[in-house]
Amino acid sequence: MRLLIRNCKLYVNDRIVENCFLLIETPLIADFGIDHGGHSSYDINLNARGRILLPGMIDAHVHLRDQLLSYKEDFKTGTASAVLGGVTSVIDMPNNDPPTNTPTNLLERMELAKSKILANVGFTCKPSVNHSINLELSKIGAIAFKVFLYEYMVDGFLDTSSLVKILSSLSKLDRVLMLHCNIKSKFSEVLKLARRRSMFKLCRIEKELAESILRIAQAYKARLHFCHVSCPKAIEAINKRKGFMEVSLEVTIHHLLLNYSTLELLGSIAHVDPPLKSKSTATSLFKLLKSGAVDIVVTDHAPHAIFEKEGDDPKPGFPNLQFMMPTLMTQVKKGRLSLNTVVEKTTIKPAEIFRIKKRGMIRKGYYADLVEVDFKRKLKVKSQILVSKGKYTPFEGAILVGIPVRTYVNGICVNDDYTIVGRGGEGKVIIPGDEPHEC
Ligand SMILES: [Zn+2]
């Protein structure tokens, strides 16, 4: 299939070029440049007047659920949320039911996803202390491994015996170890801390845990990636080790753009792990993002059924994928972030960290994972517009611009005019280092 996009503004080599065309030969980008007309051989011709064509975002922290958790989300609703949010590839977390922690479970999850996904998906696994299992998981195609450090804590301290086996194992494999570097906090405790303006206690724990695991890991060559870092001091501590070890970190859109006033306003809907912090903390995170101290931006899309968000002990997390690109592009429009920063932190860098080949840039021979963005169109966030199974959002009421009005995944249009047109199966399972086939 040859698909020609005409009259677009094209984001290429860190700048926007007016009056361009781009030719897709499914699934790859075949050609692009200034549009002088004279295109003869194509099957479909699409007009993108007034829109900017960007590389699709790569969200490196997403919980797609499905299987026994499909009442919360499934591969189809999760990846539909992604493509409406300008995201063409996601990395799925392993705390599923069944957990993604054995070769059988990983294969089962990959197989189930294949016919349902509208975006590309890389699968992470929980690592084993047994190297041969980690090796097998890598061979099957685990894109990374993830540990939840609270599972390795005894009396408030990290139990190093299992962690050193994991670090030693992953040193021999070209896979990142993702780290959830926070303790679990109950909603009632979080509210108390927020009301007393005492969130610094949680920040101290985040920083100390980061420093502990960095100390343990320095003897090993494993590549580390810190998930949803929510406090500036932890970012500083992690960045101090750069240059000595291969380490990277992410922040979420909600820690950048929201604070605990949202928690006070929306209650348990806005409960998330790690919890939202103060306005000044969010401002500092924003500054750190602009200064280059943050490697990537993610959503930590984590939907639950609405009944699980209610009661005395609501679950942390919410669905955010559908608003990834618009929340960030709204900051670009306001002049608070540069387009280059947003593109780098959501496409080029995640592709680099997770060794995702031929995605994350507009280049000939790369997969045609693309988004047509309309900066004139506005979107008012309402829970009813979510295509996720979780019909609630901490961004309720926000007016956003920079709307992904068309999304292409592997050269196939899956979102047209902010409406899902993909059926599932357009996305591919991402295997690190995987090369596109010749077409
Ligand atoms: Zn998460």
Side-chain angles (χ1 to χ4, degrees):
M1 172 79 80
R2 287 168 68 88
L3 197 148
L4 180 68
I5 304 168
R6 298 197 63 187
N7 296 318
C8 62
K9 297 171 192 174
L10 195 65
Y11 182 87
V12 64
N13 297 332
D14 300 343
R15 65 193 184 101
I16 294 170
V17 186
E18 302 275 339
N19 190 30
C20 286
F21 77 95
L22 184 141
L23 181 68
I24 295 169
E25 281 181 8
T26 316
L28 306 179
I29 298 170
D31 199 8
F32 59 82
I34 304 291
D35 196 348
H36 299 296
H39 308 283
S40 52
S41 122
Y42 51 81
D43 303 302
I44 300 173
N45 180 356
L46 290 166
N47 192 343
R49 189 176 298 282
R51 298 167 179 182
I52 303 174
L53 196 60
L54 293 176
M57 289 181 164
I58 299 171
D59 185 349
H61 191 148
V62 166
H63 300 260
L64 288 178
R65 317 288 196 201
D66 211 305
Q67 295 172 294
L68 295 177
L69 299 180
S70 60
Y71 68 94
K72 296 175 193 257
E73 190 77 297
D74 61 38
F75 285 124
K76 194 160 185 183
T77 51
T79 53
S81 309
V83 299
L84 284 185
V87 177
T88 50
S89 297
V90 300
I91 296 184
D92 176 59
M93 296 299 110
N95 54 335
N96 299 299
D97 191 2
T100 326
N101 62 351
T102 64
T104 311
N105 289 359
L106 174 61
L107 281 167
E108 201 178 294
R109 198 158 169 76
M110 283 177 164
E111 199 50 44
L112 180 68
K114 273 181 193 164
S115 62
K116 295 168 89 173
I117 48 180
L118 290 96
N120 308 303
V121 182
F123 290 92
T124 61
C125 290
K126 285 191 175 191
S128 169
V129 291
N130 180 337
H131 177 67
S132 62
I133 295 178
N134 297 333
L135 178 65
E136 184 65 21
L137 290 166
S138 302
K139 280 183 182 166
I140 293 168
I143 198 164
F145 290 85
K146 181 172 182 186
V147 291
F148 297 79
L149 285 181
Y150 55 77
E151 292 178 358
Y152 295 84
M153 288 178 85
V154 180
D155 298 331
F157 292 97
L158 284 176
D159 169 22
T160 54
S161 59
S162 305
L163 285 170
V164 294
K165 285 182 189 151
I166 291 166
L167 287 162
S168 163
S169 166
L170 295 192
S171 299
K172 297 169 203 143
L173 303 169
D174 188 26
R175 295 291 186 274
V176 174
L177 179 61
M178 299 178 82
L179 299 154
H180 178 113
C181 205
N182 311 85
I183 54 162
K184 279 186 171 178
S185 308
K186 277 197 160 188
F187 180 57
S188 53
E189 291 158 17
V190 171
L191 265 190
K192 255 187 240 165
L193 290 174
R195 284 182 186 137
R196 287 184 200 147
R197 304 292 185 252
S198 305
M199 284 292 189
F200 61 88
K201 286 182 182 163
L202 294 180
C203 281
R204 198 180 61 221
I205 294 170
E206 187 176 277
K207 174 180 172 265
E208 285 174 0
L209 261 180
E211 285 174 335
S212 299
I213 189 70
L214 283 163
R215 243 189 329 268
I216 297 166
Q218 64 191 356
Y220 303 89
K221 279 193 195 140
R223 291 192 284 137
L224 303 185
H225 176 79
F226 286 82
C227 294
H228 43 51
V229 185
S230 61
C231 301
K233 289 261 187 298
I235 293 181
E236 281 169 27
I238 295 162
N239 277 330
K240 268 189 196 159
R241 299 305 303 164
K242 282 184 180 166
F244 302 99
M245 23 192 326
E246 239 186 296
V247 58
S248 54
L249 68 98
E250 67 186 36
V251 293
T252 67
I253 54 171
H254 47 275
H255 289 115
L256 284 169
L257 301 171
L258 303 175
N259 56 69
Y260 50 50
S261 65
T262 312
L263 199 70
E264 285 162 343
L265 189 73
L266 297 178
S268 56
I269 288 295
H271 179 40
V272 66
D273 187 14
L276 296 173
K277 303 295 188 308
S278 67
K279 196 172 179 186
S280 67
T281 301
T283 307
S284 301
L285 289 179
F286 213 90
K287 279 188 192 153
L288 286 165
L289 171 65
K290 287 172 79 166
S291 74
V294 170
D295 297 288
I296 60 171
V297 178
V298 301
T299 64
D300 192 6
H301 177 86
H304 296 285
I306 191 73
F307 71 85
E308 294 173 316
K309 293 294 287 179
E310 294 163 347
D312 294 339
D313 190 16
K315 292 211 182 272
F318 31 67
N320 261 353
L321 258 173
Q322 195 170 334
F323 306 117
M324 180 158 181
M325 185 176 276
T327 48
L328 293 169
M329 289 307 164
T330 302
Q331 301 306 311
V332 172
K333 180 82 174 177
K334 286 180 178 171
R336 295 187 70 209
L337 275 178
S338 73
L339 183 61
N340 284 352
T341 298
V342 172
V343 171
E344 188 203 345
K345 306 296 178 187
T346 58
T347 65
I348 300 162
K349 277 305 259 184
E352 217 174 273
I353 292 168
F354 293 93
R355 309 277 200 262
I356 300 171
K357 301 285 183 211
K358 307 277 181 186
R359 301 191 192 273
M361 271 193 263
I362 296 181
R363 278 202 184 161
K364 285 182 200 174
Y366 270 44
Y367 288 105
D369 292 345
L370 304 160
V371 181
E372 289 180 22
V373 186
D374 189 341
F375 272 91
K376 291 203 179 102
R377 188 154 156 180
K378 286 185 180 164
L379 179 76
K380 179 159 187 190
V381 176
K382 286 179 283 189
S383 47
Q384 302 95 294
I385 68 167
L386 271 88
V387 296
S388 165
K389 289 188 181 177
K391 305 286 182 208
Y392 51 86
T393 165
F395 289 102
E396 184 77 39
I399 310 280
L400 304 176
V401 293
I403 308 306
V405 286
R406 263 197 209 121
T407 309
Y408 306 85
V409 172
N410 298 307
I412 304 166
C413 180
V414 287
N415 152 33
D416 192 9
D417 198 23
Y418 204 67
T419 303
I420 295 295
V421 293
R423 292 179 174 185
E426 294 84 357
K428 299 285 172 222
V429 172
I430 303 171
I431 307 291
D434 191 18
E435 294 287 317
H437 64 273
E438 294 294 324
C439 63

